[in-house]
Amino acid sequence: MSEACDACGDDVRLAGGIANIWASEPVRTGGMTLEFDDGTEHFLCFDCIEALPDAPTAADVEALKG
Ligand SMILES: [Zn+2]
């Protein structure tokens, strides 16, 4: 299962699914959904999340889209 990052467009692998329980490698989720004050939601990979300022706004996400 994967979802595309709203900013860079990378495919991000999502945790979930019973198969992950038996995987030898640690389960990693590659991103998370951020909700902003204006009610918009953006799914971002952690690379993009790290690039955001401490109090990101939707405009910051737009800036990441380049
Ligand atoms: Zn990204």
Side-chain angles (χ1 to χ4, degrees), residues 23-35:
S24 56
E25 64 185 88
V27 175
R28 290 183 302 147
T29 50
M32 61 183 291
T33 299
L34 299 183
E35 293 182 29

Side-chain angles (χ1 to χ4, degrees), residues 13-50:
R13 215 174 77 186
L14 299 178
I18 198 161
N20 284 330
I21 294 172
W22 308 109
S24 56
E25 64 185 88
V27 175
R28 290 183 302 147
T29 50
M32 61 183 291
T33 299
L34 299 183
E35 293 182 29
F36 296 102
D37 289 344
D38 64 358
T40 58
E41 293 186 358
H42 292 280
F43 180 79
L44 298 177
C45 70
F46 283 136
D47 282 348
C48 289
I49 290 170
E50 285 179 9

